Amino acid sequence: MTLVLIGAGSVSAEDHSDFFEGPFNSGPEVTKACLECHEDAATQVMGTTHWTWESEQIIDGKKVLRGKKNVMNNFCVSVPSNEPRCTSCHVGYGWKDANFDFSDQSRVDCLVCHDTTGTYVKSAAGAGNPAGYTGNAKFDKNPVDLLKVAQNVGVPERDDCLVCHAYGGGGNNVKHGDIGRALIEPTKDVDFHMGTDSLDFSCQECHTTEEHNIAGGSLIVSPNNTSKVTCEQCHDNSPHNESILNQHSAKVACQTCHIPFYAKVDGTKMTWDWSQSAQRTKENMEEIEHGHKVFIAKKGRFTYEQNVVPEYRWYNGTADAYNFGDKMDPNVVTALNEPLGDINDVNAKIMPFKVHRGKQVYDTTNNYFITPKVWGPKGDKEAYWNNFLKKDPQEAWKVASAAGMKATGLDFSGNIGFAPTETYWSINHMVASADKALECLDCHGDSGRLNWTELGYKGDPLGK
């Protein structure tokens, strides 16, 4: 996948032609030129999770460093040993292994957030370097004109955010379900806040930014959610004309009623079964759902859905989380992140989630999940994606698992199996207009969408 900015305009561009004369032979050269005027910018960026990919958090009563750098999910699993591919969206240049220098200011990528030309391209496996500057001929065929981009930088627009956030998990709208390229120029039917025919909000309207620190974080990388974006930033706790609706707001999150469906335009991935990788046939290689392949030989089998009804859980603003090396039971579903809260929790509200269900490799002797090395450059004899057809797939998995676990610092027994997992992705975008919000009988009554017993009620509270 090539990461391309789609539809970027020049509304917020500022003419920097007098400041940048070029030529530039690398991204870091551009950054050094930027810092001649914006002296504190790199230092500010380097203090954010966009740069560090980790933050100090409390999980199960323990203080840990957690973030994209060391989290496990049930998509491509983990960063260690896969850095050049995973870090293609890092706001830096050259994070290709564990030796990346996080203190080098010239490694900060200013252009990825401030491009207004729509021509700045991060290569898919270039360790964050733009096309033309990776050292790999495959990724350097169409080099970015760094001087042109630098001379036309401006305030970040939706395109700059979504070029990475919309493509997590390997494709448009794949991971989150409510964050896809449809949000670049949506109508109000897609998202009332961002609709070009309604409020036309920028991302920063809600994701407030100060000294390059942007509010917000996904539940899997930030279980403590210390940098929250909430509806209450703009709306008070009693926004409705009907008192019964305002009473609901004490126990029901705004998103529950005001985001009836997600993945409104593009399908989103709902399941990923790694155990079926390599099991290709002519028929399964040709299957398509909502514009996506549902079988890819090196990755396994998927399912996709569109216009999806969320699943609902109690959520008090924090979550439990699986950490590298945690013991698991292969006979039950392991939640790699799970929203906390229940019916008796005074801080919890019913919240909508996308639940992505996976089946992924684990160590059958040590009973913990494996961080496999899936990606590698051509000729890499450890990466699963290079070797799954060259040798027995089980053996390819073992080689990839050994390499990945070495990078993670965990023992590998040499024995593998596959076990079920799930991850939770809170639904916050694709807000409906007030007239399309859920009504009473959408949740209550014989055909209501809420599972009341699962939420801890004896039955539908309206029926009492």
Side-chain angles (χ1 to χ4, degrees), residues 358-408:
K359 193 172 185 181
Q360 59 199 91
V361 65
Y362 79 101
D363 187 313
T364 60
T365 299
N366 290 312
N367 276 348
Y368 48 55
F369 284 105
I370 288 169
T371 58
K373 181 176 184 179
V374 295
W375 182 89
K378 186 176 181 180
D380 189 319
K381 296 182 179 180
E382 295 177 325
Y384 180 74
W385 288 349
N386 287 350
N387 302 307
F388 70 99
L389 291 179
K390 297 178 183 177
K391 58 180 68 175
D392 175 77
Q394 283 286 106
E395 182 61 26
W397 270 118
K398 291 179 180 180
V399 171
S401 296
M405 294 300 261
K406 181 180 180 181
T408 304

Side-chain angles (χ1 to χ4, degrees), residues 180-244:
R181 64 187 179 198
L183 295 182
I184 293 177
E185 292 184 353
T187 64
K188 63 182 179 182
D189 289 333
V190 176
D191 187 292
F192 186 77
H193 289 127
M194 301 179 75
T196 55
D197 54 349
S198 49
L199 300 180
D200 202 16
F201 279 4
S202 67
C203 298
Q204 299 94 311
E205 191 77 30
C206 296
H207 295 272
T208 54
T209 304
E210 184 175 353
E211 296 185 343
H212 287 88
N213 191 42
I214 303 170
S218 70
L219 197 63
I220 195 160
V221 299
S222 185
N224 289 169
N225 201 6
T226 55
S227 179
K228 297 179 182 178
V229 174
T230 68
C231 301
E232 289 78 11
Q233 289 172 196
C234 293
H235 303 281
D236 63 33
N237 290 320
S238 301
H240 307 98
N241 294 326
E242 291 289 340
S243 60
I244 187 65

Side-chain angles (χ1 to χ4, degrees), residues 144-155:
V144 172
D145 186 339
L146 294 177
L147 179 59
K148 175 184 176 181
V149 177
Q151 289 179 338
N152 292 278
V153 291
V155 175

Side-chain angles (χ1 to χ4, degrees), residues 78-96:
S78 62
V79 171
S81 78
N82 299 296
E83 284 89 351
R85 181 64 185 87
C86 295
T87 61
S88 60
C89 262
H90 184 241
V91 293
Y93 299 119
W95 184 359
K96 61 182 180 179

